[in-house]
Amino acid sequence: QVTLKESGPALVKPTQTLTLTCTFSGFSLSTSGERVSWIRQPPGKALEWLARIDWDDDKFYSTSLKTRLTISKDTSRNQVVLTMTNLDPVDTATYYCARSELGASWFDPWGQGTPVNVSS
Amino acid sequence: SYVVAQPPSVSVAPGQTARITCGGNNIGGKSVHWYQQKPGQAPVLVVFDDSDRPSGIPERFSGSKSDNTATLTISRVEAGDVADYYCQVWDSSSDHVVFGGGTKLTVL
């Protein structure tokens, strides 16, 4: 059974850096074809894809946010980390991580999400 | 960048059929996936690759696509189907993921 769980601070001040961790089980990011993405959802708004990391350490970022995002993986700990710099109140959202695979562009399953509030 | 459009809301009476559309330029050439998000919960995949259903998803949920529009059809709608529904495609030209704006399903 594949599961993912996000963790990180619930409150961050503007201009600070956010670090989120996705801890997963039931698959390995050292296995060919495996991928993990981060997706966020501001309150009452739509889903927005942020970044993806692949089994071979290829990384892809949202065009609008790429200067602020860094995604990395720790295969031994089954974790994917997303950092976002220079936080702004508009970054307030629930942040999800989700699994996908090479040749399968859908996300299944998703983590439960972790809410992040950017406020002074 | 690629854009997909969904109606903000769809309303249907219990037992009737709900159809939620997702439109995009040449969407016929892309695989479309659909997610159900109930209030306070994470999204759940209900249809992938236009019309396939993951295990555990009721047959009442089906997907189709023609020309520039993909459609999620929910037959015999139940009160428990109340949720936001999102379509998603992968833009191969940029290797980026695109989500629609979501459609809120109301059961009258």
Side-chain angles (χ1 to χ4, degrees):
Chain A
Q1 179 192 6
V2 173
T3 64
L4 306 96
K5 187 174 184 178
E6 306 85 351
S7 58
L11 179 63
V12 181
K13 294 185 186 323
T15 75
Q16 288 186 336
T17 294
L18 172 68
T19 299
L20 297 172
T21 301
C22 173
T23 303
F24 55 87
S25 63
F27 70 100
S28 172
L29 256 181
S30 62
T31 300
S32 178
E34 295 287 354
R35 298 170 162 177
V36 172
S37 284
W38 284 94
I39 298 145
R40 72 178 179 179
Q41 184 175 38
K45 295 189 177 181
L47 301 165
E48 179 186 18
W49 176 80
L50 300 177
R52 188 188 89 211
I53 190 164
D54 295 352
W55 78 99
D56 57 0
D57 213 35
D58 269 351
K59 300 163 187 176
F60 302 84
Y61 297 99
S62 161
T63 301
S64 61
L65 291 167
K66 67 180 303 180
T67 61
R68 300 172 51 208
L69 296 175
T70 302
I71 192 170
S72 62
K73 62 182 173 73
D74 184 335
T75 303
S76 64
R77 301 179 69 178
N78 281 348
Q79 291 181 333
V80 171
V81 174
L82 181 75
T83 61
M84 179 182 292
T85 61
N86 193 24
L87 269 283
D88 183 272
V90 300
D91 297 310
T92 294
T94 295
Y95 288 75
Y96 298 96
C97 61
R99 177 203 187 199
S100 63
E101 298 177 80
L102 177 65
S105 57
W106 59 86
F107 300 108
D108 183 43
W110 297 54
Q112 65 188 22
T114 188
V116 176
N117 184 20
V118 182
S119 174
S120 55
Chain B
S1 61
Y2 192 77
V3 175
V4 290
Q6 298 181 237
S9 62
V10 167
S11 299
V12 64
Q16 299 304 302
T17 298
R19 294 179 178 85
I20 299 171
T21 59
C22 176
N25 185 38
N26 193 31
I27 202 170
K30 304 181 186 299
S31 290
V32 181
H33 320 302
W34 291 92
Y35 302 89
Q36 175 193 66
Q37 186 180 33
K38 294 184 177 180
Q41 298 184 19
V44 172
L45 181 72
V46 293
V47 167
F48 64 96
D49 277 352
D50 303 333
S51 58
D52 290 334
R53 252 187 333 273
S55 60
I57 300 301
E59 291 184 4
R60 301 186 298 107
F61 291 82
S62 63
S64 61
K65 192 174 66 177
S66 65
D67 296 329
N68 286 329
T69 302
T71 302
L72 174 69
T73 300
I74 309 171
S75 304
R76 302 180 299 283
V77 167
E78 305 170 355
D81 297 330
V82 167
D84 293 326
Y85 291 85
Y86 293 91
C87 63
Q88 176 240 312
V89 301
W90 172 62
D91 182 15
S92 58
S93 64
S94 62
D95 203 356
H96 279 27
V97 169
V98 179
F99 287 99
T103 298
K104 181 178 294 292
L105 176 67
T106 299
V107 180
L108 301 171

